[in-house]
Amino acid sequence: KRLNYTCMFIGGGVGVLLLVLVVILLLLPGTTTTTTPMTTTALPFNCMTMDNPDMWSPAKKTYCCAHGGKGCPKPTTPAPTPPPPTPPKPKPPTQPPLPYDCGAGVANWEAGWSDAKKAWCCAHGGQGCTTPKPTQPYDCNAGFSNWQAGWSDGKKEWCCTHAARGCTPVSKLCTLWGDPHVISFDQMDTDKNKAYSFYGDGDFWLVKS
């Protein structure tokens, strides 16, 4: 019986090759995997707490304001600007002193006052005047009993205007009515409230000549 050496050589060669590969793989240095541990850094402050930020420490307020917008200082409202001070009222101007006291020595002004004081007090107070005051042009009491014949027309006009004397008589009217009521001749108007009233029995003269 004849053996097939070709298959034996091929199979042996393949086996030797596989053995060589296994040896090579065993001799190669193995790969090492390094695991880097994860490190976590703790925050210095917890800014998510529910307490009042006003109660936080200054350091926490500063940190949380910079990193989370919490605990920041509240803006202060500036104080209102005070109004400007009221300027003082100006003092009234002082009056210059009078050159003369017209009340001093007035009882003896004619002999005791100087001419300058007389002139000044006469102009500013009506005292110490040396010129007499103008008199009235007519005396309406003099000759009144016979004014119609004795007075001039000028005196009649002046005294009638200024003293109600010497007036030219005008026609008068006497009115009688009612129980009775009388507006007499000497009443200056016709106001019935000023009329005379007579009551009772008797005789009354209205006109007698």
Side-chain angles (χ1 to χ4, degrees):
K1 184 179 179 179
R2 193 176 177 179
L3 296 174
N4 190 357
Y5 291 101
T6 303
C7 292
M8 292 177 63
F9 285 120
I10 292 173
V14 172
V16 173
L17 180 61
L18 291 174
L19 182 61
V20 171
L21 289 175
V22 171
V23 172
I24 293 174
L25 290 175
L26 291 175
L27 294 176
L28 289 175
T31 59
T32 59
T33 57
T34 59
T35 302
T36 304
M38 297 179 63
T39 58
T40 58
T41 304
L43 299 177
F45 300 102
N46 182 10
C47 300
M48 303 306 294
T49 56
M50 302 302 293
D51 55 344
N52 187 0
D54 293 338
M55 305 301 294
W56 293 354
S57 65
K60 183 175 180 179
K61 290 179 181 179
T62 303
Y63 177 84
C64 292
C65 180
H67 294 83
K70 294 180 66 177
C72 300
K74 297 178 181 178
T76 57
T77 303
T81 304
T86 304
K89 294 182 180 180
K91 295 182 179 180
T94 56
Q95 298 292 337
L98 299 178
Y100 301 102
D101 181 6
C102 299
V106 68
N108 190 31
W109 66 270
E110 290 183 290
W113 287 6
S114 63
D115 293 339
K117 182 174 181 179
K118 291 176 183 178
W120 193 91
C121 290
C122 180
H124 295 84
Q127 295 181 343
C129 301
T130 56
T131 55
K133 296 180 180 179
T135 58
Q136 296 179 350
Y138 301 103
D139 182 2
C140 298
N141 293 320
F144 179 67
S145 60
N146 190 31
W147 66 271
Q148 289 179 312
W151 285 7
S152 64
D153 293 337
K155 183 173 181 179
K156 291 177 183 178
E157 182 179 358
W158 193 92
C159 289
C160 180
T161 303
H162 295 85
R165 289 190 168 190
C167 300
T168 303
V170 295
S171 59
K172 292 287 187 175
L173 180 67
C174 178
T175 304
L176 175 67
W177 81 97
D179 198 20
H181 306 288
V182 179
I183 296 178
S184 63
F185 288 107
D186 57 352
Q187 184 172 325
M188 301 298 294
D189 52 27
T190 59
D191 186 0
K192 293 184 178 181
N193 293 323
K194 299 178 182 179
Y196 296 104
S197 297
F198 300 96
Y199 300 99
D201 298 331
D203 296 330
F204 303 98
W205 290 96
L206 297 179
V207 179
K208 185 182 280 190
S209 61

